[in-house]
Amino acid sequence: MDRRLIEVVPVLLTMYATWFTIGIFAIYLQLYAFYVVGVSNIIIGFLTTFYFLLNSISSISGGIIVDKYGWVRGVLIGSLLLLSISNFITPLYKDGLYLIIVRMLQGFSTGAIIPLVNLIGAKVMGAGEGIGTVGMFGSMGFATSGLIGGYIVNALGYEGSFILCGVITLIPLILLVMVDSGMYSDIRGSRIELRELIKFPLAIWVIYIAYSLRFVAAGGVWSFFSLFLYDLGADEYWVGIIHSINTITQILIFRSIGRYSEGRGLRIFELGLLLTSMVFLGYFLSPTYIHIIPLQMVLAISWVMLYSGANVYIIENTGESQRATGLGALQMFNALSWIVGSSANGYVSEFSGSYKTYIFASIFITLIGLLIVEGYFRIRGVGGDGASR
């Protein structure tokens, strides 16, 4: 069998299984916690807050370990094992604090998985092709959870759905264990430290800042998005379908936008920020869940542009020995921003009595990120392709 295929298949299935799990928990854990366990909006916000607290720690530490020692396979196996275990044990106790602990385990595992799979994809297939293909498989996982999640919950219950996620994550775990231990040994860099992030170009830090602001906004919105859709009249099936419209659209466009992002990462990233703010405006103005449906397609375009643009720009503007850390840092800032957004919206929604209050604020938070990027690169005299004017 072709070596490249042996390298790629386990990590693509890893991304699929990881995002299937993320999808089931992102869509249905809010409903399970609120309606079955009976926790408050504040606790629901904490489920996301502590998930991303551990996510931020593992995303950057996983990148540094790989840059230092090249232990990609070992880190992925350990992370997938932890993710599978956390999925299996989710239904054991109906308690808010217990759910927070489970989410911490899940956050720690996914934080290491996603940037490292991106790194392997970029190494094996090239930056644009790799990010696009890996992103497509992640979107397929999330789309599957949305399309059939309602039916799975109806057939197995919330508890059975969480256990199913544990079973699915075992498949790529077994494949990675079976792969030759030296298969990914060349994916490593020099021995750099976390403090090396300070030496990254200022342009990359501007990307980190804008990316973080986008997820301060989005993290608060997505942490309560299923409950928001319920308020607009959706049921469990429509909640899943509305989520899946976003991810199905991503599947269709991820590879092409990933390829197009090569040499154009900055401009693609800026367009993603602009479209995100437009989506939030649409959410705020929507009177029913039906109006959310077309917005999900725009959301997909905005996310693919943000994700592809940021990852490709970092890959193209860092040394090979720094890329795992650079990509891990992007995931870390993503996670830290979710902590801020989910915590803030937990209190905002609880005391305002409306999920739209934070959505309104998110329009402007995202626009601030866009203004920072555009202002910085205009001052530098740099065009959308990263070249000086």
Side-chain angles (χ1 to χ4, degrees), residues 38-55:
V39 304
S40 67
N41 282 320
I42 294 175
I43 296 299
I44 291 175
F46 284 163
L47 292 177
T48 303
T49 296
F50 284 96
Y51 173 93
F52 280 105
L53 176 62
L54 272 293
N55 190 278

Side-chain angles (χ1 to χ4, degrees), residues 114-371:
I114 294 173
L116 295 184
V117 172
N118 281 331
L119 179 68
I120 295 171
K123 180 75 173 182
V124 175
M125 293 180 280
E129 176 78 12
I131 294 297
T133 303
V134 166
M136 180 182 70
F137 270 78
S139 296
M140 287 170 63
F142 200 97
T144 305
S145 68
L147 282 173
I148 66 174
Y151 296 98
I152 293 173
V153 169
N154 185 56
L156 304 178
Y158 291 114
E159 294 88 347
S161 302
F162 302 146
I163 291 172
L164 178 63
C165 290
V167 174
I168 289 175
T169 51
L170 286 177
I171 297 172
L173 174 61
I174 292 170
L175 290 177
L176 282 169
V177 170
M178 294 173 62
V179 163
D180 181 358
S181 60
M183 185 66 72
Y184 308 114
S185 59
D186 61 332
I187 302 178
R188 62 174 296 174
S190 61
R191 304 174 70 87
I192 75 167
E193 305 292 340
L194 180 58
R195 63 176 177 268
E196 291 293 312
L197 276 175
I198 300 173
K199 300 178 183 178
F200 276 22
L202 183 56
I204 289 180
W205 276 99
V206 170
I207 297 296
Y208 286 153
I209 291 169
Y211 199 81
S212 297
L213 286 171
R214 193 271 186 180
F215 280 100
V216 167
V221 175
W222 308 147
S223 297
F224 296 87
F225 193 59
S226 294
L227 293 170
F228 168 64
L229 293 175
Y230 253 53
D231 271 4
L232 295 183
D235 58 18
E236 288 175 349
Y237 295 103
W238 274 109
V239 168
I241 290 169
I242 288 171
H243 277 87
S244 68
I245 290 170
N246 169 22
T247 47
I248 289 171
T249 306
Q250 290 179 27
I251 293 168
L252 298 175
I253 64 176
F254 232 125
R255 291 188 70 188
S256 58
I257 290 182
R259 290 194 195 102
Y260 187 76
S261 297
E262 291 191 19
R264 305 181 183 90
L266 176 60
R267 181 57 64 199
I268 295 297
F269 179 71
E270 287 183 319
L271 289 173
L273 289 170
L274 178 61
L275 288 177
T276 299
S277 65
M278 294 172 62
V279 170
F280 291 154
L281 176 61
Y283 286 169
F284 180 75
L285 297 175
S286 295
T288 69
Y289 69 92
I290 297 298
H291 295 82
I292 301 294
I293 294 174
L295 293 171
Q296 293 303 90
M297 290 184 280
V298 182
L299 174 66
I301 297 170
S302 73
W303 165 238
V304 172
M305 285 183 165
L306 280 161
Y307 188 83
S308 298
N311 278 278
V312 170
Y313 187 85
I314 291 169
I315 288 170
E316 292 179 340
N317 290 276
T318 55
E320 186 173 356
S321 66
Q322 298 175 313
R323 285 174 189 162
T325 302
L327 294 175
L330 186 70
Q331 178 69 15
M332 179 188 71
F333 288 119
N334 178 345
L336 292 173
S337 302
W338 273 79
I339 293 170
V340 176
S342 59
S343 298
N345 198 13
Y347 287 97
V348 169
S349 297
E350 184 74 13
F351 294 110
S352 71
S354 172
Y355 297 115
K356 284 192 172 184
T357 305
Y358 195 86
I359 289 173
F360 182 74
S362 295
I363 300 168
F364 301 99
I365 296 172
T366 306
L367 287 175
I368 290 171
L370 175 60
L371 291 174

Side-chain angles (χ1 to χ4, degrees), residues 46-115:
F46 284 163
L47 292 177
T48 303
T49 296
F50 284 96
Y51 173 93
F52 280 105
L53 176 62
L54 272 293
N55 190 278
S56 65
I57 294 171
S58 66
S59 61
I60 190 63
S61 60
I64 290 174
I65 288 170
V66 170
D67 275 338
K68 280 187 172 184
Y69 307 112
W71 296 342
V72 174
R73 177 173 171 271
V75 172
L76 284 180
I77 288 173
S79 299
L80 270 173
L81 178 61
L82 181 61
L83 180 60
S84 185
I85 291 171
S86 64
N87 293 340
F88 281 121
I89 68 174
T90 299
L92 289 182
Y93 298 100
K94 291 181 172 61
D95 176 77
L97 177 60
Y98 177 77
L99 289 180
I100 289 174
I101 293 172
V102 168
R103 289 299 276 165
M104 290 171 71
L105 296 176
Q106 291 175 333
F108 191 82
S109 59
T110 59
I113 291 170
I114 294 173

